[in-house]
Amino acid sequence: MPPAIPYTGKHGRVAIVDGVRTPFARIATHYRDLNAIDLGVLVVKELVSRNNLNPADLQQLVFGMTVMIPEAPFIAREIALACGYHKLDAYSITRACATSFQTTASLADNILSGYTDLGIAGGTDSTSSVRIPLSGQLSATLRDINFAKTTQDKIRLLAGLKVKDLLPQRPSITEYSVGETMGESTEKMVKKWGVGRAEQDDLAHASHSNAARAWQEGRLDRQVMGVRLPDGRTVKEDNLIRMNSDRASYDKLKPVYDTSGKGTVTAGNSSPLTDGAGALLLMSEERAKALGYKPLGYIRSYAFAARDPRDDLLMGPVLAAPIAMDRAGLALGDLTLVDMHEAFAGQVACNLRGLNDAAYLKDMIGREQALGEVDRHKLNVNGGSLAYGHPFGATGARVIMQMLYELQRRGGGIGLTTACAAGGIGAAMVLETE
């Protein structure tokens, strides 16, 4: 194992003082009338309020989203302005499903370098607000009409359109570089890595069962805020979890991406389209202690990695996790818990196989040994994205805070968190509590 790289600066470690998220909601349900900015404002204001912060003391807001709002792509600054924090420095980041892993890492680096010692990182997304795309021909025609000089020219351009050009296009989360959806890529992965349908459905059932138990036992009460909706209702809980998950029900679902009879990825073992936001309050260890806060925990290390997305698109965590663990100077046996983002149950199963495959890690990152076999009793003990849903920009913040709250509940420990992302990207972060 390479020597650890201490993740600390002259003002101590990077403390994650608090974390909060909205309830996550299935597309077009609770948040159908709210956009990503609205959701981001909710969590930022909640963090400031419940930690008795003076907004003037905030030095930086680092926020991201994946489903862009065309007229407001600068999400971080828009949230700051909507909160009334007009003098707050802010910048935006997008790293697909790993977006709020990156916003957290970027703010942490700023704290270590001494540029700031108090800020908020997070992410938000609204799939309910996604714009319905126009056909390429209609878009091009409307563009040309905008620059046409005469009414006759405009009429001539419109006359060239066919009926099919006027039909709206179905939104699709397709990998631009390879022309596949993530579900299609997962089908390829599970066939390659020998992951069957039963294993995927077992993982999905466990995710929902663990999430339901976490809610029933009050483990999420502090980290999930109540949200008052425009119609006056208040929602407090996620609405995607199968609170009474029945393992047999998963067997009845048909494959979605491969309908040839060989497919195994279904709606039941895939994460659903989701709206939500999450945010983390970060400080230098010195500043947190000076202000009298007891942090949730500290960042011990992190890593991002990438591979060719044409093969094993969602195996990025297998490359990032060993790097983060080596930087932290840890082995799997040192971990209290592991929390892996679940884009698909098949992706999680493939990731677990990859982490224990020495030849794969040698080929991909030049590591001489496998990271090892993850203890399933330590994995996603409070459920994962299959149950909670996956608002792309916010999932990283959820995973991080969920890990820290659970470690603190257990009296301390060390946790590994990971996420796969579009483009063959993987994220990993090692967290510790005292």
Side-chain angles (χ1 to χ4, degrees):
M1 181 186 298
I5 301 174
Y7 195 64
T8 185
K10 66 178 182 179
H11 299 294
R13 296 169 293 176
V14 176
I16 299 180
V17 172
D18 197 6
V20 68
R21 67 174 176 88
T22 66
F24 286 177
R26 188 179 299 276
I27 183 174
T29 58
H30 291 327
Y31 305 137
R32 61 184 304 128
D33 297 319
L34 299 175
N35 64 24
I37 298 171
D38 299 326
L39 296 172
V41 167
L42 288 169
V43 290
V44 170
K45 281 190 169 182
E46 176 70 12
L47 267 186
V48 170
S49 174
R50 75 185 197 180
N51 288 284
N52 298 311
L53 289 172
N54 182 343
D57 291 334
L58 277 178
Q59 297 166 2
Q60 204 162 57
L61 176 68
V62 187
F63 235 76
M65 65 178 173
T66 298
V67 183
M68 291 294 172
I69 302 174
E71 65 273 23
F74 192 179
I75 186 72
R77 183 59 176 156
E78 295 297 344
I79 289 173
L81 292 173
C83 287
Y85 308 157
H86 297 158
K87 294 183 179 180
L88 177 59
D89 176 35
Y91 66 93
S92 304
I93 295 175
T94 182
R95 200 192 258 271
C97 308
T99 288
S100 45
F101 272 100
Q102 183 63 71
T103 58
T104 302
S106 295
L107 179 55
D109 285 348
N110 290 345
I111 290 172
L112 285 189
S113 66
Y115 289 130
T116 181
D117 61 7
L118 193 159
I120 291 175
T124 178
D125 257 311
S126 170
T127 54
S128 295
S129 300
V130 65
R131 305 300 170 84
I132 303 300
L134 305 176
S135 70
Q137 186 59 50
L138 179 55
S139 295
T141 299
L142 293 174
R143 176 201 64 206
D144 293 343
I145 287 174
N146 188 56
F147 293 101
K149 295 182 178 180
T150 67
T151 300
Q152 185 176 1
D153 288 339
K154 295 179 180 180
I155 293 173
R156 178 179 54 78
L157 289 166
L158 286 171
L161 292 170
K162 298 179 175 62
V163 174
K164 67 177 183 179
D165 299 329
L166 303 177
L167 298 176
Q169 306 298 297
R170 182 178 180 179
S172 176
I173 303 173
T174 301
E175 199 75 11
Y176 181 82
S177 60
V178 297
E180 292 178 341
T181 65
M182 287 190 176
E184 291 169 336
S185 295
T186 302
E187 279 285 10
K188 290 168 57 178
M189 285 170 50
V190 296
K191 290 177 175 67
K192 171 183 173 179
W193 288 88
V195 177
R197 170 72 181 268
E199 183 177 357
Q200 295 176 60
D201 288 347
D202 286 346
L203 283 165
H205 173 57
S207 183
H208 283 274
S209 299
N210 289 344
R213 183 170 58 252
W215 270 114
Q216 291 161 357
E217 295 180 358
R219 299 185 186 185
L220 303 175
D221 290 350
R222 172 71 178 169
Q223 58 195 282
V224 183
M225 63 180 289
V227 172
R228 185 172 178 82
L229 302 176
D231 63 7
R233 292 180 298 130
T234 297
V235 294
K236 170 61 179 167
E237 296 184 354
D238 311 297
N239 72 355
L240 305 106
I241 302 168
R242 301 181 185 112
M243 297 303 290
N244 296 291
S245 182
D246 173 26
R247 175 60 183 84
S249 67
Y250 294 83
D251 296 331
K252 302 174 184 178
L253 300 174
K254 295 181 179 180
V256 175
Y257 302 99
D258 179 354
T259 57
S260 68
K262 298 180 180 179
T264 56
V265 180
T266 71
N269 56 42
S270 306
S271 61
L273 292 174
T274 314
D275 303 336
L280 303 166
L281 176 61
L282 273 65
M283 298 183 192
S284 67
E285 184 175 14
E286 181 180 277
R287 182 73 183 275
K289 289 181 177 179
L291 294 176
Y293 291 106
K294 184 183 185 302
L296 285 175
Y298 301 89
I299 299 174
R300 182 151 174 170
S301 71
Y302 72 84
F304 295 92
R307 56 155 300 117
D308 188 331
R310 291 174 295 181
D311 179 48
D312 283 352
L313 171 69
L314 302 179
M315 292 293 279
V318 178
L319 315 184
I323 298 171
M325 290 289 286
D326 288 346
R327 289 174 176 171
L330 298 170
L332 275 182
D334 299 318
L335 297 176
T336 310
L337 295 172
V338 176
D339 199 312
M340 302 179 76
H341 159 52
E342 305 164 339
F344 300 87
Q347 159 256 316
V348 175
C350 291
N351 285 183
L352 293 173
R353 281 166 168 73
L355 291 172
N356 198 31
D357 190 321
Y360 187 76
L361 290 176
K362 173 69 173 176
D363 182 49
M364 291 291 108
I365 59 174
R367 198 175 196 268
E368 295 298 332
Q369 300 89 25
L371 186 61
E373 184 173 359
V374 174
D375 183 345
R376 298 293 183 100
H377 294 98
K378 296 180 179 181
L379 177 66
N380 293 0
V381 295
N382 287 328
S385 299
L386 291 171
Y388 295 109
H390 176 33
F392 311 115
T395 287
R398 177 194 67 76
V399 170
I400 292 168
M401 73 178 74
Q402 191 165 301
M403 171 63 81
L404 288 174
Y405 274 103
E406 181 60 19
L407 288 174
Q408 192 173 85
R409 189 185 74 85
R410 292 173 179 232
I414 302 172
L416 169 67
T417 59
T418 72
C420 58
I425 295 293
M429 185 173 287
V430 178
L431 306 163
E432 58 185 353
T433 64
E434 299 172 343

